[in-house]
Each structure stands twice: as structure tokens, then as C-alpha cells.
Amino acid sequence: MGKLGEIRRETGEDALEKWERDAVEMEGGESPDEQAMFLRKHGRGVDDCMGVSAADVMVSSDNLSPLSDRNEGAAYARGGIFNTGIVFLKHTKNAKAFAEAWAHNLNQDEGRFAPLTSDQQVFNAMVRREGHWPGLELKSLPDGFPTTRVLVGNGLLNGEAFALGVLPVALFQPGHVAFLQRVKEVLPDFNGPYGVHATYTFDGSTSSAKRLRFAEAGYWDPAADDAQVGLGGVEADDATFHAGGVPRVLTWDPAMATRGLDESVPGIGSHLEAGGRQLELLRDAIAMAQLANRTLAIPRFTCFCDKVWGGHDNIFNFDCHYPGSKDSRHIPGLCPMDHFVSPAKLRESGVAFVALEELRRAPYEFGGDDFGAVRVEFKKDAGGGGGSVANDASPAVTLPVGADSAVVVKTLGKLRDVPLLKLTGEMPRFAGFTTQSAAREFNKRVTNVAMKSAPEWCSECHPQGCRELIPADVILSGRLKPVRNVHDQFCADFKQPEPLRAVGKESFLAMAGALVDSAAMTEDDGL
């Protein structure tokens, strides 16, 4: 986990009998990499790789249907974009010739390849016949092989063809397949991917953004981080997490924010509602973690509608699934945090956090289905500082919905030596801080900055038009935009959490001061 792989080739005399030796074999390397991660060695008898073993060059793809990919092989794969996050070259004459041609085309100042901006764009252009789509013919394999995964590739400098293999989507997953789709439900015999390519995120394409996506999905091993890098793979003081040598963490039950929503039905209305609730819950958890001097362990968010790049495509025609991925039926379902908020902005605002799944690994090593968490339950009629644990199913304490900072500090302070606390029950509806300075500082740093980094959600509605696809009340929560003068696009923002306020005596003083317009009035005036 968090290790690079290697390619090893051993020559075989009979392609069918020796396909495993000619196919890709991955072994753990020594260096972590946030772009692509190899998770396991191959196993014997994996038919999906037989169809690609005759290739000179093997490449992953951005295709999103593991089922179509398995059934149709290269006939399906050639219609998508090849992703150069994972490329394997065999030790063959044609593979060497391809590498030379690829390097040559990447360095052109004029001609067909000069305007292209990345090695991936050049790769996709050069292997296809110019002016044709998909511009790739299927390569027949010997009897006994499964559906071919090999195409007749173009682009060698001598004009000859080479064998281009497309790696199975289920085994070499692009980011969307790895981080959102439920491949096991589509392919019951699926035993997990060999590798994952992070692709882009909605929080940029930095190493930390991609590392977090791996961590959220449970793929990243914190031991792979550089020794000088602290909490969550970020260069920061992680004393909060390791206070006194004992991890002190706070997480929450994500179901608190989706209660009452039908989690079997995709829909943009539910997505916007859930997004607003999840952001409010995140804000409250940040505040309570700050008050208790704990690090957040953020669970995965829930999406009721997928998100498309730049709002292009009509996601509504695919039941709120990213086009091409609907057969995975992963919506509603778990999705990355960056669909809702910028993790980078959270860190910039001083929020210390890890992905919840990181707690399973060293140096954290929380075990069990619930990580051994002690529950803190929010109840509408609870008093602060509730009782002791009666049995394993009981919360350690209860807190009233709408508790303020004084109640939270008093109650959670009793659990200072508990490594992991989990907020459960009703939405906390954190009331605020007992001093204006604390409320002002938190809002300036978190509520009004980090929490407002949520990316705008958009989708085009071609050809029907948005009013034919979206309920009228949901349209009112967003806005319609004309797109390319032929159809419209629906865009909306998640409801942002309100700024937290000062409660108690200071709040009363502030209101009284405004009423009498006394700039000199202070708490010592005894009002």
C-alpha cells in the first residue's frame, strides 16, 4: 500500500501457456507515489489479463464501466481516453520504437502534436489514425484466448504498427472507479484492483489532494509518508494528535446528516440538501474538536448525485451518475470530501484532520468495525455531561442538541484520556462560543473561508432542457445558465453553515451595547 510497482518480463515459448509471464507482474517497491498506487501482486488464472498479454505497450484508461470493459474488451476500450498514469512497455522492438516515437512527438514545435499540452494528449493522438474515430482496429488473438484487449496501434516513426493493449478497468482503476463505484457489486468474482490511478480531483491535482483520496478509500498507508511529514501527510505540528503520547481524535456518524433522506434514490434535490447538512455537521465537528483539543478523523461523505467536470454533459439522463458509469449503481453512495469542500482550504485554515480510514493503520492502529470509538450522543432533551457507560451499546455521555462551548468543554473534558470519540444521535446544532473573540476568530478562519470553498455543482441539460429534468422547487434553489447557445445548464451551491455566534453573557452585552450605543460598555459593567 502506498508503494510503487515494477514491471518484470520473462520470455515464454507458448503465448497461451506462458501468458502470466508475459503479462504485468507487480511487486512492492520502496517509494510511495500519489499518482498511481499498486496494491497487490497478480494471481494465477486471471482471464482479464490474458487478453492483453500479446501487447507491446499496455496502458490504463479513463473508461468507467468495468462490466462493459470485461465483456467487450478492446472494442469498448478504444472508444474512451487512454490514461498514461499507468503505462507498461515490454522489452520488444516495437515497444522501444513506440517509446522513441512518443518522446519525439512530445518535443515537436510545429505540426499535429505541437498544440497538445500533455504526454497523455500526445499518446491518445499518435496511436489513432489521424482524422478517424476511434481510429484503432482490433487485433485478433490465437484460439483459446478470451476477448481481445489488444488494438493495432499507430504512430511509430517508421510507419509500422504495434500491439497496443488496454488494461482492464476493474484491475487498473481510474479515480472515479476506485473512489466512488462499487465494482464488487457489478463483478461478484472481483477480488480487488492491482492498481489505482488517482486522476484529477476537485481540489486540484496536487500530491496532497491525491493522497487524501487514497486515504479516504482506505488505500493509503501513513507509514509511506516521509518521516518529517506529520498528521495526514502534511508538514504540520501534529502535537494535537499525539498529545501526551496518546492519540486524541474526534469523528462522527455520517448518518446524522442524511437521516430522513431516501438513500436508495438518486436526485439533485437530495444531493443539495445532504450537502448542506454535511457541511453544517463538519463545521460543528471542527468547532468541538478545537474545543476538546482533538484531531478530526473525517468519515466519507455521501453523494446523492455525481459530479461532472466543469458541469459538462447531462448527468440527469444517467440517473445522476457520471456518464458511462451508471451500471455500477453507486449513487447514492460514498464519495470524496472534495465534492463538497476544499480539503486544502481546511488545512490552510488550521484544521488538523486525517481521513477516518487512516486510523486502521500504524501509527494510529484503531481496531474493530467502529475503531473502538466511545460514543457521544446528541439528544434533544439531554442535559450536558450525561452519565456513565451502562454497557457496550450505551454512549459514554450525552449532550443536548444546541450545546454551547462551555457545555462541550465540560462534558468532553471528562473523556480526555479516551483516544477516539464519535458524535452520534441528532445533528449537534452547535450553539456557539461563550466569548465573542472565540466566535469571531472561528468564523473568520473556518465558517467564512474554509467552509465557503465548496465547489459549485453544475450539469448541462441537453437536449431536453433543465425544466424538463429538474423539479421546479430544486431549480429555485439554483440558477439556469445558457450554454453554447443551444441548451441550458443548472448550477447550485450547497447551503453554507451560518456563522457561529457568541452565547451567554457576552452575547447579551453585545446586544445591550448596540441598543444604548455605548462604546465603553464592558462585561465588568455587570449587565
Side-chain angles (χ1 to χ4, degrees):
M1 307 262 182
K3 303 295 185 182
L4 286 174
E6 298 174 348
I7 305 170
R8 177 168 27 175
R9 177 186 182 275
E10 301 175 20
T11 304
E13 297 178 0
D14 184 310
L16 182 57
E17 292 180 3
K18 307 293 185 181
W19 74 271
E20 285 185 320
R21 296 184 182 182
D22 284 343
V24 177
E25 180 172 344
M26 285 164 291
E27 298 185 8
E30 297 299 327
S31 302
D33 182 65
E34 298 89 353
Q35 310 301 322
M37 178 183 292
F38 295 138
L39 305 175
R40 63 186 177 94
K41 297 180 182 180
H42 75 50
R44 297 184 63 84
V46 183
D47 287 345
D48 284 342
C49 284
M50 289 181 67
V52 77
S53 61
D56 298 304
V57 177
M58 306 176 195
V59 64
S60 59
S61 78
D62 283 340
N63 292 328
L64 301 181
S65 174
L67 183 61
S68 296
D69 183 80
R70 171 176 284 189
N71 292 339
E72 302 172 35
Y76 165 76
R78 63 180 174 176
I81 301 299
F82 303 127
N83 192 310
T84 55
I86 301 176
V87 178
F88 298 131
L89 305 179
K90 274 190 178 179
H91 191 66
T92 64
K93 176 175 69 72
N94 280 346
K96 293 178 183 178
F98 171 79
E100 292 172 359
W102 194 11
H104 173 81
N105 292 332
L106 281 168
N107 290 288
Q108 295 306 297
D109 295 325
E110 57 184 25
R112 176 187 176 193
F113 303 109
L116 304 181
T117 60
S118 69
D119 61 275
Q120 181 167 300
Q121 290 181 3
V122 171
F123 185 105
N124 276 273
M126 64 181 284
V127 300
R128 304 176 191 272
R129 286 185 291 126
E130 186 174 5
H132 295 77
W133 185 266
L136 289 160
E137 302 301 324
L138 302 180
K139 181 178 177 63
S140 298
L141 297 182
D143 292 341
F145 276 79
T147 302
T148 182
R149 304 198 60 84
V150 183
L151 299 160
V152 179
N154 306 281
L156 301 189
L157 298 179
N158 61 10
E160 295 182 2
F162 70 99
L164 173 63
V166 188
L167 295 164
V169 168
L171 300 181
F172 298 86
Q173 298 180 356
H176 192 277
V177 173
F179 304 137
L180 283 93
Q181 294 178 228
R182 299 192 279 258
V183 178
K184 182 68 175 177
E185 295 180 17
V186 179
L187 306 175
D189 59 343
F190 178 64
N191 292 316
Y194 291 153
V196 172
H197 178 221
T199 57
Y200 293 104
T201 81
F202 291 114
D203 198 32
S205 55
T206 63
S207 294
S208 59
K210 294 184 177 184
R211 179 206 177 280
L212 179 59
R213 282 217 169 176
F214 282 125
E216 286 181 290
Y219 290 147
W220 189 266
D221 186 346
D225 292 321
D226 292 338
Q228 70 272 20
V229 174
L231 183 66
V234 176
E235 291 188 29
D237 180 8
D238 58 355
T240 302
F241 188 90
H242 296 290
V246 178
R248 299 177 62 247
V249 193
L250 184 143
T251 189
W252 63 90
D253 178 3
M256 298 166 76
T258 57
R259 191 172 290 117
L261 298 175
D262 188 342
E263 296 193 41
S264 67
V265 180
I268 183 57
S270 294
H271 186 63
L272 295 175
E273 173 68 20
R277 294 185 193 178
Q278 289 175 105
L279 291 177
E280 178 188 337
L281 181 53
L282 173 62
R283 181 209 57 188
D284 288 355
I286 292 172
M288 285 183 271
Q290 174 181 299
L291 290 168
N293 194 28
R294 288 179 176 268
T295 294
L296 280 182
I298 300 181
R300 297 188 75 185
F301 282 61
T302 298
C303 282
F304 287 77
C305 203
D306 218 329
K307 183 174 174 64
V308 292
W309 293 102
H312 302 308
D313 300 307
N314 182 348
I315 200 170
F316 303 112
N317 279 348
F318 301 94
D319 204 16
C320 263
H321 290 72
Y322 202 106
S325 70
K326 185 180 176 181
D327 59 11
S328 291
R329 304 302 303 174
H330 57 278
I331 297 294
L334 301 177
C335 61
M337 187 196 325
D338 60 47
H339 281 225
F340 298 91
V341 68
S342 166
K345 290 294 185 184
L346 288 178
R347 295 197 194 280
E348 290 172 11
S349 297
V351 179
F353 69 89
V354 295
L356 180 62
E357 285 297 318
E358 290 186 71
L359 299 186
R360 296 192 188 281
R361 306 183 184 280
Y364 319 127
E365 295 182 329
F366 288 90
D369 292 339
D370 205 28
F371 303 96
V374 171
R375 295 189 299 126
V376 177
E377 185 173 4
F378 282 83
K379 292 184 176 180
K380 290 182 179 179
D381 300 320
S388 60
V389 177
N391 53 62
D392 290 341
S394 300
V397 296
T398 57
L399 276 169
V401 170
D404 62 23
S405 60
V407 174
V408 170
V409 169
K410 177 182 177 181
T411 304
L412 298 190
K414 299 176 182 179
L415 302 172
R416 180 174 178 80
D417 295 330
V418 175
L420 178 61
L421 300 180
K422 182 176 182 178
L423 308 181
T424 64
E426 302 290 334
M427 287 281 284
R429 311 291 186 199
F430 180 61
F433 298 90
T434 53
T435 67
Q436 288 197 52
S437 58
R440 187 164 47 247
E441 186 276 335
F442 184 88
N443 289 330
K444 180 180 179 180
R445 178 172 54 88
V446 179
T447 312
N448 296 333
V449 178
M451 300 307 298
K452 292 189 175 180
S453 63
E456 181 182 52
W457 192 97
C458 293
S459 174
E460 296 182 6
C461 302
H462 181 73
Q464 301 99 315
C466 292
R467 297 189 185 280
E468 298 296 321
L469 296 169
I470 307 171
D473 62 319
V474 176
I475 288 180
L476 291 176
S477 69
R479 53 207 164 273
L480 299 181
K481 301 179 180 179
V483 181
R484 293 193 289 274
N485 298 317
V486 294
H487 55 279
D488 54 358
Q489 179 188 62
F490 174 73
C491 294
D493 296 304
F494 299 113
K495 182 182 178 181
Q496 296 298 301
E498 295 292 332
L500 291 173
R501 57 192 179 89
V503 296
K505 190 174 182 181
E506 276 208 20
S507 177
F508 175 75
L509 284 169
M511 290 186 291
L515 286 172
V516 302
D517 194 24
S518 174
M521 183 175 291
T522 69
E523 188 172 358
D524 295 331
D525 291 324
L527 292 176

